[in-house]
Amino acid sequence: MDMDAFFASVEILRRPELKGKPVVIGGTGDPNRRGVVSTASYEARKFGVHSAMPLRTALKLCPACVFLPVDYNEYSRISMKIKKILFEISPLMEDVGIDEAYLDISALPEPPEETARLIKERVFRGTGLTCSVGIAPNKLLAKMASDLQKPDGLTFIGFEDVEKLIWPMGVRKLHGVGPKTEIYLKEAGLNTIGDIAAKSLEWLQEQLGKSYGQYLFEASRGIHESPIITEWNPKSISREETFELDVADWQQVARSLASLMRDVAGSMRESGYEAKTVTVKIRFEDFDTLTRARTLPAETDELDILRKAAFECLGRIELKKRVRLVGVRVMGLKPKNGAEGKQMPSPCSKDAR
DNA sequence: TCTGGGGTCCTTACTCTA
DNA sequence: TCTGTAGAGTAAGGACCC
């Protein structure tokens, strides 16, 4: 199940006057400041606006677009409502970020198409929002099925449809193939998913690495064994900040790092985790990005220790260019005092490769 | 000229230890 | 003691996802 233009749809729901207008959600909502598009309504997409595009570019493409800030709290609230509805239909549910979920419905007595219709109906009745549902024998194909008809779609894919429906698609449509791999594959003469499927396992592994080659070999044939993951512990917690204007002042970078570290430590305590490794990230004005990491003798959630480690990392980076972004991440997480830790919905798909 | 933020996983290089 | 090797842990960077 995949919500349709989720952030934009939520905003339109609470401001009905926006219905039918091109709406762009991203950053602070000011298209003249730094930020990217999180979600564009279908009307805005007609102007070429899409996710991850700089807001300034979106403004150029569509000066008539309505730009709104991201209201993550509101989207989370509605997301939880949706997940509750889905969980009631099948508790074998995997959260995939804020607007997607996989459901194993193979054990339900109703036929799948009936369940799919029930999902769409209950989500709409509960929230006023539409979603697209894909039904397939595994997560990979279900995801591709849900993308096939959007918005408000309901699509079936079986293994027997892979050749006809999936193979003609561009390589980029395969989950796990991003912009870099797309370029690489095209240079190798592979334009469609079928082109990948025509290659041998050995060739793909030689060109793209053992693990990723194996993944592409199977995925291009619609083969994907990964199970529904119902519980999940975070592996890292991070915060980062892009400055409105690139900064040359070391003090300002340090202040920002200290504040981000406070935030991360707060988040760790809230969720009940301690961390072993601290990583600092600096992105310079030319987008050159460096990271430095420090592993501590033992896990901790004490701000003083974490901050000291972060500053030790920062000290190993020569700030000879202006700084665009500063970030901090903690990893090697362990639930505190042997407690369980708070299990969370997974933030994004974990099994692309 | 533009390129966010919060995540996961993989690869490669290096170091330490058995 | 010297040499080689395997494995674990750490560090850095990169690709991808929502």
Side-chain angles (χ1 to χ4, degrees), chain A residues 69-101:
Chain A
V70 177
D71 181 358
Y72 213 80
N73 289 336
E74 176 66 2
Y75 313 147
S76 290
R77 191 180 67 79
I78 296 183
S79 176
M80 285 195 286
K81 214 166 158 181
I82 295 165
K83 302 296 166 67
K84 189 164 172 277
I85 292 169
L86 298 178
F87 186 83
E88 281 165 8
I89 293 173
S90 170
L92 291 176
M93 182 191 74
E94 176 175 339
D95 247 307
V96 190
I98 197 161
D99 76 329
E100 280 184 44

mmCIF file of all heavy atoms in Angstrom, chain A residues 69-101:
data_model
loop_
_atom_site.group_PDB
_atom_site.id
_atom_site.type_symbol
_atom_site.label_atom_id
_atom_site.label_comp_id
_atom_site.label_asym_id
_atom_site.label_seq_id
_atom_site.Cartn_x
_atom_site.Cartn_y
_atom_site.Cartn_z
ATOM 1 N N PRO A 69 5.362 24.455 3.732
ATOM 2 C CA PRO A 69 6.405 23.780 4.517
ATOM 3 C C PRO A 69 5.991 22.353 4.865
ATOM 4 O O PRO A 69 4.804 22.024 4.862
ATOM 5 C CB PRO A 69 6.504 24.630 5.786
ATOM 6 C CG PRO A 69 5.153 25.260 5.917
ATOM 7 C CD PRO A 69 4.639 25.466 4.516
ATOM 8 N N VAL A 70 6.990 21.528 5.174
ATOM 9 C CA VAL A 70 6.729 20.156 5.604
ATOM 10 C C VAL A 70 6.236 20.180 7.050
ATOM 11 O O VAL A 70 6.906 20.730 7.922
ATOM 12 C CB VAL A 70 8.017 19.308 5.506
ATOM 13 C CG1 VAL A 70 7.770 17.905 6.025
ATOM 14 C CG2 VAL A 70 8.526 19.271 4.066
ATOM 15 N N ASP A 71 5.086 19.613 7.305
ATOM 16 C CA ASP A 71 4.528 19.528 8.664
ATOM 17 C C ASP A 71 4.567 18.066 9.094
ATOM 18 O O ASP A 71 3.570 17.353 9.063
ATOM 19 C CB ASP A 71 3.096 20.068 8.669
ATOM 20 C CG ASP A 71 2.466 20.041 10.058
ATOM 21 O OD1 ASP A 71 3.131 19.561 11.008
ATOM 22 O OD2 ASP A 71 1.325 20.497 10.200
ATOM 23 N N TYR A 72 5.780 17.639 9.471
ATOM 24 C CA TYR A 72 6.010 16.222 9.714
ATOM 25 C C TYR A 72 5.104 15.660 10.808
ATOM 26 O O TYR A 72 4.661 14.521 10.716
ATOM 27 C CB TYR A 72 7.489 16.002 10.063
ATOM 28 C CG TYR A 72 7.981 14.687 9.576
ATOM 29 C CD1 TYR A 72 8.352 14.506 8.242
ATOM 30 C CD2 TYR A 72 8.042 13.599 10.429
ATOM 31 C CE1 TYR A 72 8.776 13.287 7.783
ATOM 32 C CE2 TYR A 72 8.461 12.363 9.963
ATOM 33 C CZ TYR A 72 8.833 12.216 8.650
ATOM 34 O OH TYR A 72 9.235 10.999 8.195
ATOM 35 N N ASN A 73 4.831 16.465 11.835
ATOM 36 C CA ASN A 73 3.994 15.978 12.934
ATOM 37 C C ASN A 73 2.610 15.581 12.455
ATOM 38 O O ASN A 73 2.074 14.546 12.846
ATOM 39 C CB ASN A 73 3.888 17.043 14.030
ATOM 40 C CG ASN A 73 5.186 17.207 14.779
ATOM 41 O OD1 ASN A 73 6.009 16.286 14.807
ATOM 42 N ND2 ASN A 73 5.394 18.371 15.352
ATOM 43 N N GLU A 74 2.032 16.418 11.609
ATOM 44 C CA GLU A 74 0.695 16.132 11.107
ATOM 45 C C GLU A 74 0.703 14.877 10.227
ATOM 46 O O GLU A 74 -0.177 14.014 10.332
ATOM 47 C CB GLU A 74 0.165 17.342 10.324
ATOM 48 C CG GLU A 74 -1.181 17.141 9.658
ATOM 49 C CD GLU A 74 -2.337 16.951 10.644
ATOM 50 O OE1 GLU A 74 -2.108 17.021 11.858
ATOM 51 O OE2 GLU A 74 -3.471 16.703 10.175
ATOM 52 N N TYR A 75 1.726 14.742 9.356
ATOM 53 C CA TYR A 75 1.775 13.569 8.481
ATOM 54 C C TYR A 75 1.971 12.297 9.304
ATOM 55 O O TYR A 75 1.412 11.252 8.988
ATOM 56 C CB TYR A 75 2.887 13.694 7.430
ATOM 57 C CG TYR A 75 2.929 15.033 6.732
ATOM 58 C CD1 TYR A 75 4.129 15.598 6.318
ATOM 59 C CD2 TYR A 75 1.756 15.753 6.500
ATOM 60 C CE1 TYR A 75 4.176 16.829 5.707
ATOM 61 C CE2 TYR A 75 1.803 16.990 5.882
ATOM 62 C CZ TYR A 75 3.019 17.534 5.500
ATOM 63 O OH TYR A 75 3.059 18.748 4.898
ATOM 64 N N SER A 76 2.770 12.410 10.382
ATOM 65 C CA SER A 76 2.992 11.246 11.251
ATOM 66 C C SER A 76 1.697 10.827 11.925
ATOM 67 O O SER A 76 1.410 9.635 12.062
ATOM 68 C CB SER A 76 4.002 11.580 12.350
ATOM 69 O OG SER A 76 5.263 11.727 11.788
ATOM 70 N N ARG A 77 0.951 11.829 12.359
ATOM 71 C CA ARG A 77 -0.309 11.538 13.053
ATOM 72 C C ARG A 77 -1.242 10.756 12.115
ATOM 73 O O ARG A 77 -1.803 9.729 12.495
ATOM 74 C CB ARG A 77 -0.964 12.866 13.460
ATOM 75 C CG ARG A 77 -2.130 12.738 14.413
ATOM 76 C CD ARG A 77 -2.711 14.108 14.756
ATOM 77 N NE ARG A 77 -3.349 14.760 13.622
ATOM 78 C CZ ARG A 77 -4.568 14.482 13.172
ATOM 79 N NH1 ARG A 77 -5.281 13.556 13.776
ATOM 80 N NH2 ARG A 77 -5.071 15.118 12.126
ATOM 81 N N ILE A 78 -1.368 11.216 10.891
ATOM 82 C CA ILE A 78 -2.256 10.538 9.939
ATOM 83 C C ILE A 78 -1.667 9.190 9.532
ATOM 84 O O ILE A 78 -2.390 8.205 9.360
ATOM 85 C CB ILE A 78 -2.509 11.452 8.725
ATOM 86 C CG1 ILE A 78 -3.264 12.693 9.215
ATOM 87 C CG2 ILE A 78 -3.269 10.718 7.627
ATOM 88 C CD1 ILE A 78 -3.657 13.661 8.165
ATOM 89 N N SER A 79 -0.343 9.137 9.428
ATOM 90 C CA SER A 79 0.316 7.882 9.087
ATOM 91 C C SER A 79 -0.003 6.805 10.120
ATOM 92 O O SER A 79 -0.304 5.656 9.773
ATOM 93 C CB SER A 79 1.827 8.102 8.998
ATOM 94 O OG SER A 79 2.477 6.880 8.766
ATOM 95 N N MET A 80 0.037 7.191 11.387
ATOM 96 C CA MET A 80 -0.240 6.209 12.452
ATOM 97 C C MET A 80 -1.677 5.695 12.358
ATOM 98 O O MET A 80 -1.944 4.519 12.578
ATOM 99 C CB MET A 80 0.027 6.828 13.824
ATOM 100 C CG MET A 80 1.519 6.935 14.116
ATOM 101 S SD MET A 80 1.916 7.241 15.852
ATOM 102 C CE MET A 80 1.480 8.917 16.063
ATOM 103 N N LYS A 81 -2.562 6.590 12.001
ATOM 104 C CA LYS A 81 -3.969 6.214 11.821
ATOM 105 C C LYS A 81 -4.092 5.174 10.698
ATOM 106 O O LYS A 81 -4.794 4.160 10.837
ATOM 107 C CB LYS A 81 -4.741 7.486 11.427
ATOM 108 C CG LYS A 81 -6.147 7.571 11.937
ATOM 109 C CD LYS A 81 -6.629 9.009 11.753
ATOM 110 C CE LYS A 81 -8.150 9.067 11.715
ATOM 111 N NZ LYS A 81 -8.623 10.453 11.507
ATOM 112 N N ILE A 82 -3.379 5.431 9.611
ATOM 113 C CA ILE A 82 -3.419 4.516 8.455
ATOM 114 C C ILE A 82 -2.832 3.160 8.837
ATOM 115 O O ILE A 82 -3.404 2.107 8.535
ATOM 116 C CB ILE A 82 -2.646 5.124 7.269
ATOM 117 C CG1 ILE A 82 -3.346 6.392 6.782
ATOM 118 C CG2 ILE A 82 -2.503 4.111 6.133
ATOM 119 C CD1 ILE A 82 -2.506 7.255 5.873
ATOM 120 N N LYS A 83 -1.698 3.182 9.545
ATOM 121 C CA LYS A 83 -1.038 1.926 9.916
ATOM 122 C C LYS A 83 -1.929 1.112 10.847
ATOM 123 O O LYS A 83 -1.930 -0.121 10.801
ATOM 124 C CB LYS A 83 0.322 2.214 10.581
ATOM 125 C CG LYS A 83 1.294 3.032 9.714
ATOM 126 C CD LYS A 83 1.725 2.312 8.453
ATOM 127 C CE LYS A 83 2.401 3.198 7.434
ATOM 128 N NZ LYS A 83 3.699 3.721 7.830
ATOM 129 N N LYS A 84 -2.682 1.803 11.670
ATOM 130 C CA LYS A 84 -3.593 1.109 12.581
ATOM 131 C C LYS A 84 -4.682 0.390 11.774
ATOM 132 O O LYS A 84 -5.015 -0.771 12.045
ATOM 133 C CB LYS A 84 -4.206 2.122 13.548
ATOM 134 C CG LYS A 84 -5.009 1.504 14.670
ATOM 135 C CD LYS A 84 -5.259 2.513 15.802
ATOM 136 C CE LYS A 84 -6.228 1.943 16.831
ATOM 137 N NZ LYS A 84 -7.643 2.104 16.448
ATOM 138 N N ILE A 85 -5.192 1.073 10.778
ATOM 139 C CA ILE A 85 -6.215 0.466 9.909
ATOM 140 C C ILE A 85 -5.636 -0.781 9.226
ATOM 141 O O ILE A 85 -6.264 -1.843 9.190
ATOM 142 C CB ILE A 85 -6.684 1.488 8.842
ATOM 143 C CG1 ILE A 85 -7.464 2.621 9.511
ATOM 144 C CG2 ILE A 85 -7.519 0.802 7.759
ATOM 145 C CD1 ILE A 85 -7.748 3.803 8.599
ATOM 146 N N LEU A 86 -4.415 -0.647 8.718
ATOM 147 C CA LEU A 86 -3.788 -1.772 8.014
ATOM 148 C C LEU A 86 -3.527 -2.933 8.972
ATOM 149 O O LEU A 86 -3.754 -4.100 8.621
ATOM 150 C CB LEU A 86 -2.477 -1.321 7.366
ATOM 151 C CG LEU A 86 -2.594 -0.231 6.296
ATOM 152 C CD1 LEU A 86 -1.209 0.151 5.785
ATOM 153 C CD2 LEU A 86 -3.476 -0.698 5.149
ATOM 154 N N PHE A 87 -3.058 -2.587 10.162
ATOM 155 C CA PHE A 87 -2.727 -3.616 11.149
ATOM 156 C C PHE A 87 -3.961 -4.431 11.523
ATOM 157 O O PHE A 87 -3.876 -5.627 11.779
ATOM 158 C CB PHE A 87 -2.129 -2.956 12.402
ATOM 159 C CG PHE A 87 -1.613 -3.926 13.422
ATOM 160 C CD1 PHE A 87 -0.336 -4.466 13.300
ATOM 161 C CD2 PHE A 87 -2.393 -4.313 14.503
ATOM 162 C CE1 PHE A 87 0.150 -5.356 14.229
ATOM 163 C CE2 PHE A 87 -1.920 -5.211 15.442
ATOM 164 C CZ PHE A 87 -0.642 -5.735 15.308
ATOM 165 N N GLU A 88 -5.108 -3.750 11.528
ATOM 166 C CA GLU A 88 -6.348 -4.454 11.861
ATOM 167 C C GLU A 88 -6.746 -5.423 10.740
ATOM 168 O O GLU A 88 -7.422 -6.419 10.985
ATOM 169 C CB GLU A 88 -7.472 -3.445 12.130
ATOM 170 C CG GLU A 88 -7.372 -2.844 13.532
ATOM 171 C CD GLU A 88 -8.230 -1.599 13.716
ATOM 172 O OE1 GLU A 88 -9.021 -1.272 12.813
ATOM 173 O OE2 GLU A 88 -8.085 -0.957 14.766
ATOM 174 N N ILE A 89 -6.330 -5.103 9.533
ATOM 175 C CA ILE A 89 -6.641 -6.001 8.410
ATOM 176 C C ILE A 89 -5.686 -7.189 8.406
ATOM 177 O O ILE A 89 -6.090 -8.327 8.220
ATOM 178 C CB ILE A 89 -6.598 -5.222 7.076
ATOM 179 C CG1 ILE A 89 -7.759 -4.217 7.058
ATOM 180 C CG2 ILE A 89 -6.663 -6.170 5.884
ATOM 181 C CD1 ILE A 89 -7.748 -3.267 5.901
ATOM 182 N N SER A 90 -4.375 -6.892 8.622
ATOM 183 C CA SER A 90 -3.416 -7.986 8.797
ATOM 184 C C SER A 90 -2.278 -7.524 9.697
ATOM 185 O O SER A 90 -1.575 -6.569 9.371
ATOM 186 C CB SER A 90 -2.842 -8.440 7.452
ATOM 187 O OG SER A 90 -1.762 -9.323 7.703
ATOM 188 N N PRO A 91 -2.080 -8.196 10.835
ATOM 189 C CA PRO A 91 -0.996 -7.800 11.740
ATOM 190 C C PRO A 91 0.382 -8.118 11.172
ATOM 191 O O PRO A 91 1.387 -7.672 11.709
ATOM 192 C CB PRO A 91 -1.266 -8.617 13.011
ATOM 193 C CG PRO A 91 -2.107 -9.767 12.563
ATOM 194 C CD PRO A 91 -2.876 -9.323 11.366
ATOM 195 N N LEU A 92 0.431 -8.889 10.090
ATOM 196 C CA LEU A 92 1.720 -9.135 9.438
ATOM 197 C C LEU A 92 2.017 -7.949 8.532
ATOM 198 O O LEU A 92 1.910 -8.028 7.308
ATOM 199 C CB LEU A 92 1.679 -10.435 8.633
ATOM 200 C CG LEU A 92 1.597 -11.710 9.469
ATOM 201 C CD1 LEU A 92 1.454 -12.923 8.570
ATOM 202 C CD2 LEU A 92 2.838 -11.849 10.347
ATOM 203 N N MET A 93 2.344 -6.827 9.184
ATOM 204 C CA MET A 93 2.527 -5.579 8.458
ATOM 205 C C MET A 93 3.938 -5.063 8.627
ATOM 206 O O MET A 93 4.466 -5.058 9.734
ATOM 207 C CB MET A 93 1.547 -4.535 8.975
ATOM 208 C CG MET A 93 1.648 -3.225 8.243
ATOM 209 S SD MET A 93 0.730 -1.896 9.043
ATOM 210 C CE MET A 93 1.767 -1.550 10.431
ATOM 211 N N GLU A 94 4.534 -4.627 7.534
ATOM 212 C CA GLU A 94 5.851 -3.984 7.598
ATOM 213 C C GLU A 94 5.712 -2.520 7.226
ATOM 214 O O GLU A 94 5.261 -2.174 6.145
ATOM 215 C CB GLU A 94 6.840 -4.663 6.631
ATOM 216 C CG GLU A 94 8.193 -3.973 6.602
ATOM 217 C CD GLU A 94 9.227 -4.695 5.740
ATOM 218 O OE1 GLU A 94 9.052 -5.910 5.489
ATOM 219 O OE2 GLU A 94 10.195 -4.041 5.333
ATOM 220 N N ASP A 95 6.130 -1.672 8.157
ATOM 221 C CA ASP A 95 6.154 -0.235 7.927
ATOM 222 C C ASP A 95 7.289 0.096 6.984
ATOM 223 O O ASP A 95 8.402 -0.337 7.194
ATOM 224 C CB ASP A 95 6.476 0.440 9.259
ATOM 225 C CG ASP A 95 5.331 1.244 9.779
ATOM 226 O OD1 ASP A 95 4.842 2.074 9.004
ATOM 227 O OD2 ASP A 95 4.954 1.042 10.943
ATOM 228 N N VAL A 96 7.039 0.890 5.968
ATOM 229 C CA VAL A 96 8.131 1.361 5.117
ATOM 230 C C VAL A 96 8.019 2.875 5.053
ATOM 231 O O VAL A 96 7.364 3.416 4.180
ATOM 232 C CB VAL A 96 8.060 0.773 3.702
ATOM 233 C CG1 VAL A 96 9.333 1.096 2.933
ATOM 234 C CG2 VAL A 96 7.845 -0.720 3.760
ATOM 235 N N GLY A 97 8.650 3.531 6.008
ATOM 236 C CA GLY A 97 8.571 4.980 6.013
ATOM 237 C C GLY A 97 7.166 5.438 6.336
ATOM 238 O O GLY A 97 6.339 4.678 6.837
ATOM 239 N N ILE A 98 6.899 6.689 6.021
ATOM 240 C CA ILE A 98 5.684 7.308 6.536
ATOM 241 C C ILE A 98 4.455 6.976 5.688
ATOM 242 O O ILE A 98 3.345 6.968 6.201
ATOM 243 C CB ILE A 98 5.899 8.838 6.652
ATOM 244 C CG1 ILE A 98 4.850 9.471 7.567
ATOM 245 C CG2 ILE A 98 5.920 9.493 5.286
ATOM 246 C CD1 ILE A 98 5.227 10.821 8.082
ATOM 247 N N ASP A 99 4.623 6.650 4.439
ATOM 248 C CA ASP A 99 3.441 6.538 3.570
ATOM 249 C C ASP A 99 3.332 5.209 2.821
ATOM 250 O O ASP A 99 2.604 5.118 1.843
ATOM 251 C CB ASP A 99 3.425 7.691 2.558
ATOM 252 C CG ASP A 99 4.417 7.485 1.435
ATOM 253 O OD1 ASP A 99 5.462 6.867 1.682
ATOM 254 O OD2 ASP A 99 4.150 7.948 0.320
ATOM 255 N N GLU A 100 4.055 4.205 3.291
ATOM 256 C CA GLU A 100 4.005 2.905 2.622
ATOM 257 C C GLU A 100 3.972 1.781 3.648
ATOM 258 O O GLU A 100 4.495 1.930 4.743
ATOM 259 C CB GLU A 100 5.260 2.678 1.776
ATOM 260 C CG GLU A 100 5.260 3.364 0.439
ATOM 261 C CD GLU A 100 6.510 2.985 -0.343
ATOM 262 O OE1 GLU A 100 6.875 1.789 -0.363
ATOM 263 O OE2 GLU A 100 7.124 3.890 -0.899
ATOM 264 N N ALA A 101 3.414 0.658 3.267
ATOM 265 C CA ALA A 101 3.482 -0.529 4.120
ATOM 266 C C ALA A 101 3.271 -1.771 3.266
ATOM 267 O O ALA A 101 2.616 -1.726 2.224
ATOM 268 C CB ALA A 101 2.428 -0.469 5.213
#
